[in-house]
């Protein structure tokens, strides 16, 4: 095809999250295909957006920027450089993330006073259980023993020994997986309630395979060996100290939250001639056989429908919605796609004058030092507590206030999801008061954000996902990418790599589509590992 023929080619992209925006910018950088991005929401960023509530910014879930991929690390820095006061120019920074480690040599440092920068953040997150703080990941140290008490610790030890001598076999459910590795008592104490809060189903209904894939590297034997070894280690053993320091998790974080990255990418797309239509939803797809010819889009404001003819269609919308729009005739494909499971998510933003000092490490106004805290208390529904001030002080309008995110895992339409906003803010504040963290009279303001389909789940009909994948692969110019777009636990980098894979394939005349499905198929790092304990 000659360059003149190619000039008017259009790629419609459903969704302006990390995947959709990466695809659009890469198309503009590397081809003359015009990307038209259609986004149902009123802002860009997808789940990685930052919600601005009266000058206070909310990050939904807390987004660490880390990737094993050099391409992704460079790409991010090409949009937002690392702030000058975070490292010396040319000095390598060591970033660590969920057991992985990498060096980052910032290519150029931006003036520290600049707003369009990424910060290097150090993570602190702990578990709150029995109204006490435990280290995360859980350590067998003096603090844990003191928190649990001698008797309970012995019970846990006995139950672990028992699980080692009488193993559950076959190991078919997630409960079997946990009990075999941690013993029944530790499983019930630290894993059961939280996992069920996250997924909304009992651990007996989740397959053991899920645990094997997602919870690599967590082992009681390792923890015990480490605890015993550390007793014999000289306190002056500096090499060990250095190793431990190097394992402190550090990651990049845009000064104004993850959405800042995607707002800047969107600005560049529009400047380079791409289109982004906010509050527009893809509602239908036209096809001739196995080729997509046009996409139907509805304007959320005036409900007007518009037909956009296209040469390529990159979809980051949920596989369930995409498949329904393609109107398959195979009953198996229809059933599996329609029943793909998801978990939804809500965050209540609470602005406070102060918190109760539940911990020796709290600041004067009671603010906890953590980025986030896992709430394991069974008498409340809250799953995690974000302290936005500790991600970046720029997320908070008034530095004298504390800006919290109370996170709930739920299902669209359930009691939590359906609660009206004012009631939900009150409910969330009461929960935090109940576990002793705040006094409700300290609350100044609050808001609620709902995130539908935050977690594509790997159980139920997902077991037969290959049927749907094979069906979608049959379309010559269709590229399902991204988290819900591929029904994968993608972090931002996986979604970006898949989007880049789609662009490569488009530029190679449709070759290499199967490579896209390999991304994040075996990686061991996901935010859900956190979500389990
Ligand atoms: C609690 C939580 C914590 C996380 N923590 C991290 C982290 O620390 N680090 C990290 O890198 N990642 C993290 N992630 C993952 C990250 O949020 C996602 O990987 C990323 O946002 C996925 O990008 P995406 O473009 O694939 O999908 P999305 O962000 O879901 O974007 C898809 C977009 O498509 C739009 N859309 C859907 N249907 C239609 C339609 N019919 N028409 C038009 N538009 C449509 C949606 O509105 C949305 O904007 C976390 C996620 C969660 C839920």
């Amino acid at each position: 095809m000659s360059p003149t023929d190619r000039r008017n080619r259009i790629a419609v992209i459903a969704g302006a999250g990390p995947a959709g925006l990466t695809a659009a910018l890469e198309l503009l950088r590397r081809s003359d295909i015009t990307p038209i991005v259609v986004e149902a929401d009123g802002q860009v960023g997808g789940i990685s957006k930052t919600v601005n509530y009266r000058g206070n910014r909310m990050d939904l879930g807390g987004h660490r920027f880390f990737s094993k991929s050099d391409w992704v690390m460079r790409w991010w820095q090409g949009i937002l450089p690392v702030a000058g006061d975070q490292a010396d120019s040319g000095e390598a920074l060591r970033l660590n993330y969920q057991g992985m480690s990498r060096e980052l040599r910032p290519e150029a440092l931006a003036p520290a006073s600049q707003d369009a920068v990424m910060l290097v953040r150090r993570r602190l997150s702990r578990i709150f259980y029995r109204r006490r703080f435990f280290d995360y990941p859980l350590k067998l140290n003096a603090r844990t023993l003191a928190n649990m008490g001698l008797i309970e610790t012995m019970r846990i030890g006995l139950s672990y020994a028992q699980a080692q001598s009488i193993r559950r076999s076959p190991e078919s459910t997630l409960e079997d997986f946990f009990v075999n590795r941690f013993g029944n008592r530790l499983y019930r104490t630290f894993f059961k309630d939280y996992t069920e809060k996250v997924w909304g189903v009992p651990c007996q209904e989740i397959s053991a395979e899920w645990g094997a894939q997602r919870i690599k590297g967590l082992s009681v034997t390792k923890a015990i060996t480490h605890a015993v070894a550390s007793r014999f280690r000289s306190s002056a053993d500096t090499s060990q100290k250095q190793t431990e320091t190097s394992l402190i998790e550090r990651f990049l974080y845009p000064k104004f939250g993850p959405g800042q990255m995607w707002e800047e990418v969107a600005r560049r797309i529009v400047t380079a001639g791409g289109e982004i239509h906010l509050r527009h939803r893809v509602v239908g797809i036209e096809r001739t056989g196995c080729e997509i010819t046009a996409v139907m889009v509805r304007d959320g404001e005036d409900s007007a429908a518009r037909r956009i003819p296209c040469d390529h269609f990159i979809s980051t919308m949920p596989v369930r919605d995409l498949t329904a729009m393609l109107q398959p005739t195979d009953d198996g494909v229809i059933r599996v796609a329609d029943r793909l499971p998801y978990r939804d998510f809500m965050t209540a933003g609470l602005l406070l004058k102060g918190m109760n000092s539940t911990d020796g490490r709290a600041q004067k106004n009671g603010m906890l030092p953590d980025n986030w805290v896992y709430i394991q208390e069974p008498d409340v529904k809250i799953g995690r507590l974000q302290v936005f001030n500790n991600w970046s002080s720029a997320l908070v309008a008034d530095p004298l206030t504390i800006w919290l995110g109370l996170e709930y895992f739920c299902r669209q339409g359930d009691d939590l999801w359906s609660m009206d906003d004012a009631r939900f803010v009150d409910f969330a504040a009461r929960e935090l008061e109940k576990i002793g963290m705040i006094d409700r009279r300290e609350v100044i303001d609050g808001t609620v954000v709902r995130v539908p389909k935050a977690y594509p789940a790997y159980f139920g009909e997902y077991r037969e996902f290959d049927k749907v994948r094979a069906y979608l692969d049959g379309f010559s110019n269709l590229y399902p990418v991204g988290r819900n777009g591929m029904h994968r636990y993608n972090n931002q980098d996986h979604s970006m790599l898949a989007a880049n894979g789609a662009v490569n394939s488009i530029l190679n005349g449709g070759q290499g589509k199967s490579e896209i499905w390999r991304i994040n198929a075996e990686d061991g790092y996901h935010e859900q590992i956190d979500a389990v304990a």
Side-chain angles (χ1 to χ4, degrees):
M1 191 176 278
S2 76
T4 332
D5 291 328
R6 283 165 50 201
R7 190 154 302 134
N8 294 324
R9 282 196 296 164
I10 300 287
V12 171
I13 301 175
L21 294 180
T22 302
L25 192 57
E26 284 304 306
L27 281 172
L28 288 163
R29 283 174 173 171
R30 295 201 270 138
S31 78
D32 44 17
I33 298 170
T34 305
I36 301 182
V37 184
V38 180
E39 170 54 58
D41 198 358
Q43 69 179 98
V44 300
I47 306 175
S48 307
K49 68 185 171 186
T50 302
V51 174
N52 187 337
Y53 177 71
R54 299 181 177 160
N56 294 299
R57 292 175 165 82
M58 290 168 82
D59 173 351
L60 312 171
H63 283 72
R64 286 159 279 172
F65 282 63
F66 179 98
S67 180
K68 283 201 285 187
S69 154
D70 293 336
W71 181 82
V72 171
M73 295 302 285
R74 277 200 302 270
W75 203 96
W76 281 334
Q77 289 182 80
I79 306 292
L80 296 177
V82 174
D85 56 349
Q86 308 289 299
D88 291 332
S89 186
E91 181 206 335
L93 284 169
R94 182 140 290 277
L95 300 183
N96 302 292
Y97 181 82
Q98 301 191 338
M100 292 179 301
S101 184
R102 64 164 297 139
E103 235 179 41
L104 173 77
R105 207 170 280 279
E107 286 165 19
L109 292 170
S113 57
Q114 200 171 295
D115 278 343
V117 288
M118 281 196 283
L119 312 173
V120 179
R121 306 308 294 165
R122 193 178 152 150
R123 161 184 170 159
L124 175 64
S125 48
R126 290 177 294 168
I127 298 170
F128 193 64
Y129 176 62
R130 296 181 166 191
R131 311 303 196 242
R132 289 182 182 150
F133 286 94
F134 290 78
D135 287 327
Y136 175 84
L138 197 60
K139 293 190 190 99
L140 283 181
N141 56 17
R143 191 174 17 237
T144 307
L145 297 186
N147 279 347
M148 298 300 293
L150 190 62
I151 308 258
E152 184 56 20
T153 308
M154 282 168 65
R155 283 191 182 133
I156 286 175
L158 277 176
S159 145
Y160 174 67
Q162 194 180 27
Q164 294 314 294
S165 53
I166 317 164
R167 294 183 70 79
R168 291 190 178 190
S169 178
E171 188 180 88
S172 48
T173 68
L174 188 59
E175 179 170 290
D176 300 337
F177 175 92
F178 281 135
V179 171
N180 280 345
R181 276 154 196 81
F182 306 107
N184 197 26
R185 198 142 189 124
L186 200 57
Y187 156 65
R188 284 183 189 281
T189 308
F190 282 107
F191 296 93
K192 184 176 184 297
D193 288 343
Y194 198 80
T195 311
E196 294 182 359
K197 247 186 210 177
V198 175
W199 292 110
V201 289
C203 289
Q204 297 100 299
E205 285 180 27
I206 304 176
S207 109
E209 213 181 299
W210 185 90
Q213 207 187 347
R214 306 288 138 192
I215 310 158
K216 284 181 196 154
L218 252 180
S219 127
V220 170
T221 320
K222 260 197 221 160
I224 292 172
T225 317
H226 178 81
V228 173
S230 58
R231 296 247 163 263
F232 292 101
R233 205 180 293 128
S234 136
S235 57
D237 185 341
T238 49
S239 76
Q240 178 61 28
K241 272 193 190 151
Q242 273 160 8
T243 317
E244 281 170 3
T245 313
S246 79
L247 288 175
I248 292 167
E249 193 173 297
R250 296 206 301 176
F251 50 87
L252 297 176
Y253 192 70
K255 184 170 176 181
F256 290 94
Q260 184 187 10
M261 173 69 71
W262 303 110
E263 284 153 25
E264 176 56 22
V265 173
R267 194 187 63 75
R268 293 189 190 194
I269 290 168
V270 174
T271 307
E275 295 178 22
I276 300 179
H277 301 274
L278 296 178
R279 291 183 199 85
H280 280 66
R281 181 177 286 279
V282 171
V283 290
I285 296 169
E286 282 181 19
R287 63 183 174 102
T288 306
C290 288
E291 191 185 347
I292 312 289
T293 49
V295 173
M296 299 301 298
V297 170
R298 179 154 300 137
D299 181 336
E301 267 160 24
D302 62 9
S303 294
R306 177 182 162 203
R307 179 178 180 275
I308 311 179
C310 64
D311 301 278
H312 308 281
F313 181 41
I314 299 178
S315 166
T316 75
M317 61 190 185
V319 169
R320 190 199 270 179
D321 301 353
L322 170 69
T323 312
M325 287 178 204
L326 291 167
Q327 303 181 344
T329 49
D330 181 323
D331 287 344
V333 173
I334 298 171
R335 173 182 51 81
V336 175
D338 190 47
R339 295 192 197 160
L340 283 174
Y342 298 91
R343 194 76 175 136
D344 309 296
F345 182 78
M346 287 171 82
T347 306
L350 282 192
L351 190 68
L352 292 118
K353 284 183 272 182
M355 294 179 77
N356 297 341
S357 290
T358 35
D359 172 47
R361 296 166 76 176
Q363 292 190 4
K364 248 202 260 151
N365 62 358
M367 187 173 85
L368 293 168
D370 310 65
N371 298 88
W372 72 92
V373 179
Y374 297 101
I375 310 289
Q376 297 267 18
E377 303 289 12
D379 54 339
V380 285
K381 291 206 159 87
I382 177 177
R384 257 184 334 214
L385 175 69
Q386 299 285 347
V387 185
F388 293 125
N389 305 55
N390 296 331
W391 286 84
S392 165
S393 56
L395 297 183
V396 190
D398 174 355
L400 296 177
T401 57
I402 305 175
W403 180 223
L404 301 178
L406 287 73
E407 301 181 341
Y408 291 83
F409 309 100
C410 55
R411 196 181 308 277
Q412 274 184 70
D414 72 8
D415 291 351
L416 285 178
W417 186 270
S418 315
M419 218 183 268
D420 84 47
D421 287 5
R423 258 190 71 212
F424 190 78
V425 167
D426 182 56
F427 164 81
R430 279 175 196 275
E431 287 221 317
L432 220 47
E433 187 172 61
K434 184 173 181 184
I435 58 175
M437 286 200 176
I438 64 163
D439 176 338
R440 262 184 310 135
R441 286 169 301 187
E442 296 287 300
V443 175
I444 307 166
D445 202 353
T447 187
V448 182
V449 179
R450 292 176 178 76
V451 186
K453 299 191 174 66
Y455 296 93
Y458 283 17
F459 46 80
E461 241 66 11
Y462 177 76
R463 290 190 194 97
E464 296 175 73
F465 185 72
D466 281 352
K467 286 195 175 103
V468 180
R469 182 192 149 178
Y471 172 72
L472 298 176
D473 280 347
F475 290 87
S476 58
N477 59 347
L478 169 67
Y479 297 87
V481 295
R483 183 166 165 113
N484 283 329
M486 301 169 82
H487 207 86
R488 283 267 164 89
Y489 292 143
N490 281 353
N491 274 339
Q492 296 171 94
D493 59 336
H494 302 121
S495 280
M496 294 169 67
L497 288 166
N500 193 43
V503 171
N504 291 340
S505 179
I506 288 174
L507 302 186
N508 286 327
Q511 299 295 307
K513 269 180 155 192
S514 56
E515 294 298 312
I516 303 172
W517 289 103
R518 291 213 184 98
I519 294 161
N520 189 24
E522 279 159 14
D523 273 358
Y525 74 102
H526 304 266
E527 82 275 9
Q528 277 71 23
I529 296 180
D530 290 349
V532 173

